[in-house]
Amino acid sequence: MEKELYIKQLKPFLYLMDEAHEATGYIVVGDERVCVIDTMNGYNDLHKVVREITDKPIVVVNTHGHPDHIFGNVYFDEAYMNPKDFEMASSFFNEPEFVKICNEKGLSVPPLKPIKGGDVIDLGGKTLEVYELPGHTPGGILLLLREERILFTGDSVNHHLWMQLDGCPEMQEYVKALDKIMFLEKEADVILHGHATGFDDISLLRCMRQGAVEICNGETENDLPYNWFGGVAKQHPFKLEKGKEYDQTVSVICYR
């Protein structure tokens, strides 16, 4: 079923796609190629959306393997993802309801191709560098648009971090993973995450890390329950820096 797709041009080469306020994807236009970062829930024909902007060859990248970031892959010939999330993604692609919808629409899931930390996607005049951040999923990746100092983080860094899922590591392990990529705060000025409506200051990365450290240190006495479709977890609020610009003002890490 089709749901409303809101498209916002953030820069001459950059478009934000907000699908029914459920998930966000991005279109980055280089001189030679165009990259689609996350394809959301598949409610809309994203290939058609890209073609209304440019006729350049398309590269599709999924930041991780959750359905609200990959189901729109069906409109493309292939998509790149960290292999650590392949198995998870395949399980979602094989869900009977999704298979039924694809069959009804005459769509099929294209092959997943591997992408990993250290890889670089050259769009012509614009390069996306790949960094791994296991946590929200084992194969979560970040994409640094080097020339424009923009960091695309999927759900790995955001204002509402889900770390209560099966397969999420202990919070101490997540902090260690974060420490390996903290240098990126000097390489980027802003973050665009998987459920954003606009830019967040790069300091969101450090603020979120601080929240994870507080959980590790047991500073959780005021944390409230968090009800979600998998049951009840906990939510830990974390503070944002004063004087910086953020897309949202309320920020929490959900955990068990």
Side-chain angles (χ1 to χ4, degrees), residues 10-21:
L10 299 179
K11 293 195 178 264
F13 58 86
L14 176 61
Y15 298 81
L16 180 153
M17 300 179 288
D18 172 0
E19 196 170 55
H21 307 314

Side-chain angles (χ1 to χ4, degrees), residues 216-229:
C216 292
N217 293 342
E219 298 168 41
T220 56
E221 60 278 358
N222 298 318
D223 290 0
L224 297 171
Y226 177 68
N227 293 288
W228 63 297
F229 61 79

Side-chain angles (χ1 to χ4, degrees), residues 14-253:
L14 176 61
Y15 298 81
L16 180 153
M17 300 179 288
D18 172 0
E19 196 170 55
H21 307 314
E22 291 176 19
T24 301
Y26 301 93
I27 298 169
V28 183
V29 185
D31 294 338
E32 292 158 22
R33 298 198 289 172
V34 56
C35 184
V36 176
I37 300 173
D38 285 342
T39 61
M40 306 168 293
N41 276 305
Y43 301 140
N44 298 270
D45 185 342
L46 298 185
H47 186 273
K48 190 173 155 196
V49 171
V50 176
R51 282 292 166 254
E52 283 166 3
I53 294 167
T54 177
D55 60 0
K56 290 169 183 171
I58 300 168
V59 184
V60 178
V61 181
N62 300 136
T63 59
H64 62 295
H66 283 154
D68 57 334
H69 298 267
I70 64 173
F71 275 177
N73 286 10
V74 295
Y75 300 107
F76 301 97
D77 296 330
E78 62 184 27
Y80 287 88
M81 183 190 294
N82 187 327
K84 290 170 188 165
D85 276 5
F86 276 12
E87 191 179 336
M88 175 199 301
S90 295
S91 71
F92 292 123
F93 286 138
N94 288 316
E95 283 181 351
E97 183 62 24
F98 181 68
V99 172
K100 178 169 168 272
I101 291 168
C102 287
N103 289 340
E104 285 169 359
K105 289 185 167 184
L107 296 167
S108 59
V109 176
L112 288 172
K113 300 186 79 172
I115 195 168
K116 60 187 189 309
D119 289 347
V120 177
I121 302 162
D122 186 354
L123 302 177
K126 300 215 174 347
T127 46
L128 288 160
E129 299 174 0
V130 182
Y131 298 91
E132 296 189 25
L133 180 55
H136 176 66
T137 69
I141 60 168
L142 314 178
L143 297 162
L144 173 66
L145 184 55
R146 165 69 60 186
E147 297 81 2
E148 305 294 337
R149 297 179 61 84
I150 297 168
L151 186 64
F152 299 91
T153 63
D155 288 355
S156 295
V157 179
N158 65 31
H159 289 276
H160 196 95
L161 177 67
W162 273 24
M163 288 291 290
Q164 82 281 16
L165 303 167
D166 290 341
C168 287
E170 294 292 322
M171 202 60 71
Q172 288 92 336
E173 292 303 309
Y174 183 58
V175 173
K176 281 183 197 167
L178 276 171
D179 285 343
K180 288 179 183 169
I181 58 93
M182 285 307 292
F183 69 91
L184 290 171
E185 64 183 338
K186 293 187 172 60
E187 308 293 329
D189 299 322
V190 289
I191 283 171
L192 287 170
H193 64 75
H195 295 271
T197 59
F199 292 109
D200 279 296
D201 185 80
I202 190 62
S203 56
L204 173 63
L205 179 56
R206 185 161 288 275
C207 295
M208 194 192 72
R209 180 193 177 279
Q210 180 56 35
V213 169
E214 288 163 5
I215 295 170
C216 292
N217 293 342
E219 298 168 41
T220 56
E221 60 278 358
N222 298 318
D223 290 0
L224 297 171
Y226 177 68
N227 293 288
W228 63 297
F229 61 79
V232 182
K234 290 281 219 170
Q235 52 184 319
H236 181 75
F238 63 88
K239 290 192 182 76
L240 300 172
E241 274 188 33
K242 286 196 172 78
K244 305 284 189 187
E245 286 193 30
Y246 300 102
D247 183 45
Q248 297 161 37
T249 52
V250 179
S251 307
V252 298
I253 297 172

